[in-house]
């Protein structure tokens, strides 16, 4: 039985941020010896800190073996809260910096490649022009499984995603806001014979060289459903890839066909010499979502960046005239 912890005696007066920092480093390194090297201290010093921390909280935080250390159930709980505590302190410092100068800070964004091209590319120039001293970090993330470990581990501030499946109960730690609804279209290069057609039956595309992302993605699922709706088997996929650059190059140079979000084609179709083909796909609104972590204080410039995303989505929904006025 875990003994009751006296906050004032055991924690408030004895526990230091340095102790938590050592603990987090030990868990991340998986070894006290490796943590000592990273921290620039001796291994006995690390062991002493860990022993004192476990004595203070009254439970074993680490399982030790010849292979290294692993957090216990108590250690995992301490790790989660320690990461949150350090993150809140960092956000507090950033908030103080913002109060001193509201035009500085950083935003760490996770986003799929297609959304980077369709949404971030138009938003970033406007945001950076207004806040030139804000540093943006964009990481290409696959959000199809919605695990989002880097968001949950607070290494990302916000994720822009197109989920394949609805959010389940285990996602109660996330704030999810629908930014806009997208849809899928069939696309080909302007040099393709299909680009000159005014009407195309879906059955005509059965034996064409398709390029699609892997199974389970929205693109793949929409194309499968379209062929099934016409009583057709799924065509053989010529190339499976997530790479937009590879798809664009192959589409522009040959007779390949793919499925893209309409938002991507609207922003980039002319630039990459691509065209939306007159082919009907199943009508299925595809939400684009802004995802943040609940119970987390966001850097004020992150909030401002999210406001820019909302403004861009609103201007696109209102039509080209509104988009031109917001530029």
């Amino acid at each position: 039985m875990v003994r009751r912890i006296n906050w004032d005696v055991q924690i408030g007066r004895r526990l230091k941020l340095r102790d938590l920092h050592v603990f987090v480093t030990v868990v991340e390194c998986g070894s006290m010896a490796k943590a000592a090297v990273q921290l620039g201290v001796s291994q006995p010093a690390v062991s002493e800190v860990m022993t004192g921390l476990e004595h203070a909280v009254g439970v074993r935080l680490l399982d030790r073996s010849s292979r290294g250390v692993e957090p216990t159930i108590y250690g995992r709980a301490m790790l989660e809260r320690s990461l949150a505590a350090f993150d809140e302190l960092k956000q507090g410092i950033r908030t103080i910096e913002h109060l001193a100068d509201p035009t500085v800070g950083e935003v760490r964004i996770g986003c799929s490649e297609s959304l980077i091209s369709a949404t971030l590319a138009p938003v970033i120039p406007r945001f950076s022009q207004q806040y030139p001293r804000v540093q943006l970090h964009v990481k290409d993330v696959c959000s199809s499984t919605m695990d989002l470990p880097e968001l949950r581990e607070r290494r990302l501030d916000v994720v822009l995603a197109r989920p394949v499946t609805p959010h389940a109960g285990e996602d109660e730690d996330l704030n999810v806001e629908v930014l806009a609804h997208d849809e899928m279209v069939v696309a080909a290069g302007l040099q393709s014979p299909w680009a000159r057609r005014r009407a195309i039956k879906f059955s005509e595309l059965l034996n064409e060289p398709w390029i699609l992302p892997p199974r389970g993605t929205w693109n793949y699922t929409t194309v499968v459903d379209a062929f099934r709706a016409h009583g057709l088997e799924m065509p053989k996929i010529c190339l499976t890839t997530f790479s937009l650059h590879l798809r664009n190059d192959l589409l522009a140079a040959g007779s390949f066909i793919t499925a893209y979000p309409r938002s991507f084609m609207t922003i980039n179709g002319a630039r990459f010499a691509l065209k939306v083909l007159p082919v009907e796909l199943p009508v299925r609104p595809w939400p684009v979502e802004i995802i943040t972590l609940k119970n987390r204080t966001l850097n004020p410039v992150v909030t401002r960046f999210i406001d820019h995303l909302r403004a861009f989505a609103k201007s696109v929904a209102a039509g080209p005239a509104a988009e031109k006025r917001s530029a």
Side-chain angles (χ1 to χ4, degrees):
M1 181 176 179
V2 180
R3 59 185 174 85
R4 185 177 179 84
I5 297 174
N6 185 304
W7 169 259
D8 288 333
V9 175
Q10 295 171 252
I11 304 298
R13 298 178 185 176
R14 294 175 57 182
L15 187 63
K16 301 176 181 179
L17 286 177
R18 173 180 172 274
D19 299 340
L20 294 180
H21 177 59
V22 171
F23 166 66
V24 170
T25 305
V26 168
V27 174
E28 290 177 345
C29 292
S31 159
M32 291 198 191
K34 292 179 180 178
V37 172
Q38 182 167 321
L39 293 168
V41 298
S42 66
Q43 182 174 343
V46 172
S47 299
E48 182 179 352
V49 169
M50 289 309 309
T51 300
L53 181 58
E54 289 179 324
H55 179 72
V57 298
V59 294
R60 182 178 290 275
L61 299 175
L62 300 173
D63 284 331
R64 297 146 170 94
S65 70
S66 59
R67 296 187 300 272
V69 297
E70 288 286 340
T72 65
I73 183 174
Y74 309 114
R76 288 194 293 271
M78 177 66 80
L79 177 65
E80 179 182 352
R81 298 304 179 185
S82 297
L83 291 173
F86 283 122
D87 179 69
E88 287 296 322
L89 284 172
K90 291 177 183 177
Q91 298 291 18
I93 296 299
R94 290 168 183 162
T95 300
I96 292 171
E97 292 173 345
H98 170 77
L99 292 173
D101 186 344
T103 63
V104 299
E106 65 177 10
V107 185
R108 298 168 297 173
I109 310 149
C111 191
S112 65
E113 191 178 2
S114 63
L115 277 172
I116 289 174
S117 297
T119 303
L120 290 189
V123 169
I124 286 175
R126 302 173 187 177
F127 182 83
S128 295
Q129 184 177 13
Q130 188 170 352
Y131 303 102
R133 290 190 292 167
V134 173
Q135 188 175 13
L136 301 175
H137 306 269
V138 178
K139 182 169 185 180
D140 184 7
V141 298
C142 178
S143 56
S144 59
T145 61
M146 296 312 297
D147 291 334
L148 304 180
E150 291 177 288
L151 181 66
R152 288 186 162 102
E153 294 169 7
R154 300 169 183 254
R155 287 181 282 152
L156 293 174
D157 298 309
V158 58
V159 169
L160 198 60
R162 291 189 178 103
V164 175
T165 56
H167 295 277
E170 61 267 20
D171 293 325
E172 292 178 355
D173 60 332
L174 302 177
N175 289 313
V176 180
E177 173 188 343
V178 175
L179 180 66
H181 285 283
D182 212 339
E183 63 178 346
M184 198 66 65
V185 296
V186 177
L190 288 176
Q191 301 300 320
S192 169
W194 297 109
R196 297 187 289 273
R197 293 278 296 272
R198 295 185 177 181
I200 301 173
K201 295 181 180 179
F202 218 89
S203 57
E204 295 181 84
L205 302 179
L206 180 61
N207 296 315
E208 292 303 302
W210 282 84
I211 304 174
L212 289 175
R215 291 175 181 269
T217 59
W218 193 272
N219 313 53
Y220 189 98
T221 301
T222 301
V223 173
V224 169
D225 290 348
F227 275 97
R228 287 177 178 170
H230 288 82
L232 302 169
E233 294 294 326
M234 183 67 179
K236 182 178 179 180
I237 307 303
C238 176
L239 173 65
T240 299
T241 180
F242 277 113
S243 172
L244 280 177
H245 295 296
L246 181 57
R247 278 184 277 174
N248 292 338
D249 288 345
L250 292 174
L251 289 173
S255 58
F256 295 96
I257 295 173
T258 194
Y260 270 150
R262 184 176 293 278
S263 61
F264 174 82
M265 290 297 297
T266 299
I267 299 296
N268 299 290
R271 181 159 68 101
F272 293 117
L274 306 178
K275 183 178 180 181
V276 175
L277 300 185
V279 181
E280 291 187 5
L281 289 173
V283 177
R284 181 184 297 165
W286 190 9
V288 176
E289 298 176 344
I290 297 173
I291 307 174
T292 55
L293 198 61
K294 284 185 179 179
N295 302 318
R296 183 188 181 197
T297 304
L298 289 178
N299 182 347
V301 294
V302 175
T303 302
R304 293 192 178 194
F305 185 79
I306 292 174
D307 287 340
H308 273 66
L309 291 173
R310 295 186 184 116
F312 171 73
K314 185 177 180 180
S315 69
V316 171
E323 169 69 5
K324 186 175 180 180
R325 288 195 301 271
S326 67

